[in-house]
Amino acid sequence: MQISRRSFLGTSAAMAAASVLTPDVVRAAAALEHASNWELATADVAGDIAPRRLELVHGCVPQGLNGTLYRNGPAQFRRPGGSSQHWFDGDGMVRRWHIEEGQVDLTARFANTPKRRQEEAAGAMLMPGFGTLPDPRARIGSADDASPANTSVHKVGDKLWALWEAGSPLEMDAVTLETKGFVTLRPDLKAMPFLAHPRIEPDGTIWNLGVARGKAIVWHLAADGQLRDTGMIDMPMASYVHDFTATTRHLVILLQPWVQTRNTLPLSQAFQWLPDQGGKVLVIDKDDLTKQRVFEIPAFGFFHVGDAWEEADGTIRFDVAAHKDMMFAAQGAQEVLNGVPLHHEPAEMAMVVLGSDGRGRLERTGVVGEFPRSDPRRAGLARRFSIHTTGERAGRPLATAIGVTDWSSGRTRSFDFGENHVVDEMVYVPKAGKTAEADGWLIGPTINLEKGVSELHLLDMAHIGDGPVCTWRSDVALPAAFHGNWV
């Protein structure tokens, strides 16, 4: 089905509108004064991080562990003439942790976006964002002009794409992290929304959405990033959609009762929590987008879902980090950025079940958890395990631990790094020569608040309670990132 940029953006104009190398990092003054405090997670970085070798400070590196962990997240929020007001609005910095023959090299560079260039020249954060009002000096011709490119990063063919959610992917060099420019998948669809959570099939096929005011463009791409097809769908609710999921046959779009009820800036203030409306799940046939089913589910908020799968009788299951509401998006993320102790309830790991009888339900675990991940070889297929952060609590935002939930037994195992660490999302890496789901490594960084540096950890998923198999330490601290992937 052919769609046009004009027809889509006519419904999302408000969303689009909202939307010198230095060798070392300079931490924000407040973070330096409180190195044992989680405020270091949202400290500013003064410039790009030149390549550096990390020190192995614990354990032995297993044979066959070679590859690259890419991560992306905001790393500058404040400028003398004006600052961002929301954690989600800082300038994106892509991190590259390259592992070869037991050694790790770290490089990190800011996404060199029009937003960043404009704000550097002005000495102020100008652009509108998720929770930041625009400065009158901001020059915006499309959503891409306002993009911080700060949410996720994916290797697409031989290219690296830094992703936001309201505009185009930003291409960067996979080795040097040099910014190449925004990707236009079709000329008439330039600067269209492209979520930061594409669903990638085991053969590399990419599905994604771009969402605005109850409508969504469906992107279908080949593994090398070439556009195969697009389509337009109407959704039953104008919900905030940060993530979606998919089985081998279906796109699965979870719709929460945080609904856009007005056109206003910042975007977070355009949504209203309406729990009486409940939640819905829209299930769409990948081969025919007109074939759709809608399931009713209880009201809860969410940012992130895991990979879905479909059972023999047609039942669909997927994991979700379920929030009580969306106060974190509307208010909590501003508090985190400004160093205010957070008292909102953390998310809970849960399973959404869409029965063959047309009924939906939410099965809660009582386990704190966010950023669910799994074995990418099983995307869309039945699986046992979810990897997720844990340890977060009211008054202490951001995780201290990493967990693995086994859906077949209902048991969650975890390792807590302690109060002096902020734990980023970790990803699954298959062990060399192994194919079983349980035979995997977990890899990801923490901020060691006591040492004032970033560390990279490798854990054995089957023995997660034993803690890191090995740990490498940097001589710099990078703020908390959002998402990344292993290549």
Side-chain angles (χ1 to χ4, degrees), residues 214-238:
K215 291 184 178 293
I217 179 174
V218 177
W219 300 100
H220 183 195
L221 283 64
D224 64 358
Q226 294 299 308
L227 182 64
R228 287 182 175 173
D229 197 10
T230 60
M232 179 83 80
I233 58 173
D234 291 311
M235 297 191 295
M237 301 169 68

Side-chain angles (χ1 to χ4, degrees), residues 414-425:
S414 64
F415 177 77
D416 198 317
F417 288 85
E419 289 297 301
N420 283 326
H421 283 262
V422 170
V423 178
D424 267 3
E425 164 200 73

Side-chain angles (χ1 to χ4, degrees), residues 284-306:
I284 303 172
D285 192 308
K286 287 180 175 178
D287 293 329
D288 183 351
L289 301 184
T290 66
K291 293 182 179 179
Q292 303 179 4
R293 291 176 290 160
V294 177
F295 292 80
E296 304 285 339
I297 57 170
F300 60 89
F302 84 102
F303 289 102
H304 303 114
V305 295

Side-chain angles (χ1 to χ4, degrees), residues 6 25 51 78 84 98 110 128 138 150 172 188 197 206 209 246 248 281 287 301 313 348 362 367 434 437 444 486:
R6 174 174 293 184
V25 64
R78 307 160 186 93
S84 297
H98 180 68
F110 279 103
N150 68 358
M172 302 176 74
D188 61 317
H197 289 284
I206 301 168
L209 303 177
T248 55
V281 184
D287 293 329
D313 67 351
E348 172 189 0
L362 183 70
V367 174
K434 302 291 186 178
E437 185 182 4
W486 172 263

Side-chain angles (χ1 to χ4, degrees), residues 17-65:
S19 7
V20 151
L21 297 185
T22 57
D24 292 297
V25 64
V26 177
R27 306 174 185 89
L32 280 175
E33 292 174 6
H34 306 286
S36 63
N37 195 295
W38 52 264
E39 291 172 358
L40 188 57
T42 57
D44 287 329
V45 176
D48 296 345
I49 305 301
R52 64 204 50 231
R53 179 67 48 86
L54 273 62
E55 178 188 5
L56 182 67
V57 295
H58 168 74
C60 296
V61 183
Q63 293 290 324
L65 183 72

Side-chain angles (χ1 to χ4, degrees), residues 287-403:
D287 293 329
D288 183 351
L289 301 184
T290 66
K291 293 182 179 179
Q292 303 179 4
R293 291 176 290 160
V294 177
F295 292 80
E296 304 285 339
I297 57 170
F300 60 89
F302 84 102
F303 289 102
H304 303 114
V305 295
D307 287 312
W309 70 91
E310 193 165 351
E311 298 175 345
D313 67 351
T315 297
I316 293 174
R317 295 176 179 269
F318 62 92
D319 47 327
V320 60
H323 291 256
K324 179 181 178 181
D325 51 35
M326 289 301 282
M327 281 301 295
F328 182 82
Q331 177 183 338
Q334 291 179 317
E335 296 173 348
V336 168
L337 179 60
N338 293 316
V340 177
L342 190 69
H343 296 289
H344 303 292
E345 294 181 18
E348 172 189 0
M349 290 300 299
M351 180 70 71
V352 174
V353 182
L354 309 177
S356 57
D357 59 0
R359 298 180 180 179
R361 66 181 188 272
L362 183 70
E363 297 178 348
R364 295 183 175 273
T365 65
V367 174
V368 169
E370 248 293 8
F371 302 113
R373 300 294 297 256
S374 56
D375 180 353
R377 300 170 301 179
R378 289 169 168 78
L381 305 173
R383 58 181 170 85
R384 285 177 56 189
F385 300 110
S386 292
I387 306 153
H388 53 86
T389 59
T390 188
E392 185 178 352
R393 64 180 188 276
R396 204 304 189 168
L398 311 178
T400 63
I402 189 73

Side-chain angles (χ1 to χ4, degrees), residues 235-291:
M235 297 191 295
M237 301 169 68
S239 301
Y240 174 67
V241 177
H242 174 75
D243 194 3
F244 75 107
T245 188
T247 70
T248 55
R249 297 172 49 215
H250 295 99
L251 305 177
V252 182
I253 306 172
L254 178 59
L255 300 170
Q256 60 190 324
W258 200 42
V259 179
Q260 187 168 358
T261 57
R262 55 183 181 151
N263 291 330
T264 190
L265 297 176
L267 186 64
S268 61
Q269 301 306 308
F271 289 84
Q272 186 175 358
W273 182 249
L274 302 173
D276 291 345
Q277 293 191 9
K280 301 182 189 297
V281 184
L282 178 61
V283 178
I284 303 172
D285 192 308
K286 287 180 175 178
D287 293 329
D288 183 351
L289 301 184
T290 66
K291 293 182 179 179

